[in-house]
Amino acid sequence: MGGSALNQGVLEGDDAPGQSPYERLSQRMLDISGDRGVLKDVIREGAGDLVAPDATVLVKYSGYLEHMDRPFDSNCHRRTPKLMKLGEDITLWGMELGLLSMRRGELARFLFKPTYAYGTLGCPPLIPPDTTVLFEIELLDFLDSAESDKFCALSAEQQDQFPLQKVLKVAATEREFGNHLFRQNRFYDAKVRYKKALLLLCRRAAPPEEQHLTKAAKLLIFLNLSLTYLKLDQPITALRYGEQALIIDPKNAKALFRCGQACLLLTEYQKARDYLVRAQKEQPFNHDINNELKKLASYYKDYTDKEKEMCHRMFAPCGDGSTVGES
């Protein structure tokens, strides 16, 4: 988003007698409320579906008063905006209506009349009474959480009445919530979402012909939980979830790598080596895996020259991605 530069462009238009800048702007904007209380001008088109009612959105926004170049409210300074749920975290009626008209990746400019913004009283001292405000909003992403929220509110017996595909869809939504929270470095909250998704999958027995679907979904969550517990500095739990992933997919490089990281933190160096060598065998040119093996080798720096040579041979990668001495 361009911030103040965009708003400055709004205010610099052809003069029209008796018209304010926002009045001039409104003439070329789309009425999305039906009473010209919320007007929209698309700056950059988005793609995909429209935002669903009760969705949880990830947005960047800046709000402006007329004749002012600096925003009175903005979250653009945040490295990662927080998730906001429609109907709960978003208090401006106009913003909610505006978001419902948007698609992922879209950037748009809105004018909100007082009824759809701060009302007849305004919001002293920043917002005067009966004030029309301009908002520039970028929709980064959204999650349709209504279906997940309703499903999770049901009892276990009621959930069992739904087909497996429904459970998989809800679990995927919960996992995606966890991914958003993880990217915001909210690791504890992400862990809660991942465990919620895992509980849904573990509680549901799948027929033999569909067990591969639940295993695939569980594998992703085990990997997520293993990494999250590493971030939470809980290597024992991280190792446990990594090992659960390996039960499903014994050659999964991510699971092997995270188990190796956990063992390294636990100073179980031989186990760490075993996991990392197996990971390297699956992905010989993976930068992170090879760096972790180098880190592991550095723990042997106080060994004798003979012992160092043995460690060098132990950790040096071969052309086929294995290590010397590996069976």
Side-chain angles (χ1 to χ4, degrees), residues 27 156 248:
Q27 293 176 1
I248 298 174

Side-chain angles (χ1 to χ4, degrees), residues 27-186:
Q27 293 176 1
R28 61 175 190 265
M29 299 179 80
L30 177 67
D31 177 13
I32 65 170
S33 61
D35 60 359
R36 299 197 63 78
V38 179
L39 302 176
K40 177 180 180 180
D41 179 28
V42 176
I43 301 170
R44 184 183 67 231
E45 296 284 351
D49 296 330
L50 293 171
V51 172
D54 299 320
T56 299
V57 298
L58 193 67
V59 299
K60 287 185 177 181
Y61 65 84
S62 294
Y64 299 90
L65 298 175
E66 197 167 20
H67 305 295
M68 290 187 66
D69 192 34
R70 292 183 179 274
F72 65 83
D73 185 22
S74 177
N75 72 344
C76 292
H77 62 281
R78 295 179 183 172
R79 183 176 179 181
T80 307
K82 70 176 185 177
L83 291 166
M84 297 189 294
K85 185 171 176 61
L86 298 182
E88 294 181 10
D89 302 316
I90 297 174
T91 56
L92 289 187
W93 188 15
M95 182 179 287
E96 186 149 336
L97 288 178
L99 285 166
L100 289 172
S101 73
M102 298 182 73
R103 305 176 192 274
R104 285 184 181 87
E106 183 176 330
L107 174 61
R109 181 183 295 130
F110 296 90
L111 282 178
F112 303 147
K113 294 293 179 62
T115 304
Y116 293 88
Y118 298 95
T120 58
L121 298 179
C123 187
L126 291 176
I127 314 297
D130 283 317
T131 299
T132 295
V133 294
L134 181 146
F135 269 80
E136 291 160 1
I137 302 175
E138 181 180 10
L139 179 63
L140 303 175
D141 201 0
F142 72 90
L143 294 170
D144 187 358
S145 56
E147 184 178 18
S148 177
D149 293 340
K150 291 176 183 177
F151 185 83
C152 292
L154 300 174
S155 66
E157 293 76 16
Q158 291 172 316
Q159 291 178 2
D160 288 341
Q161 303 303 313
F162 288 86
L164 178 62
Q165 289 298 332
K166 174 79 168 184
V167 179
L168 292 170
K169 184 178 180 181
V170 172
T173 299
E174 290 298 320
R175 176 176 171 267
E176 190 60 33
F177 266 111
N179 290 344
H180 277 289
L181 293 166
F182 185 93
R183 288 192 286 269
Q184 295 175 339
N185 295 327
R186 295 168 58 185

Side-chain angles (χ1 to χ4, degrees), residues 287-299:
H287 181 75
D288 293 329
I289 295 172
N290 290 327
N291 276 349
E292 205 72 6
L293 277 167
K294 291 178 183 177
K295 184 192 299 183
L296 181 58
S298 72
Y299 285 91

Side-chain angles (χ1 to χ4, degrees), residues 239-286:
L239 178 60
R240 186 173 76 242
Y241 281 114
E243 290 172 337
Q244 289 294 314
L246 289 173
I247 292 173
I248 298 174
D249 182 2
K251 294 185 176 182
N252 188 282
K254 286 184 178 180
L256 291 166
F257 177 59
R258 287 166 195 173
C259 286
Q261 287 180 300
C263 288
L264 189 56
L265 291 171
L266 292 168
T267 67
E268 297 182 12
Y269 298 134
Q270 185 58 46
K271 285 183 67 176
R273 174 197 173 276
D274 292 343
Y275 280 123
L276 291 171
V277 166
R278 288 168 61 191
Q280 187 190 58
K281 190 171 184 179
E282 298 304 320
Q283 294 186 6
F285 304 107
N286 185 290

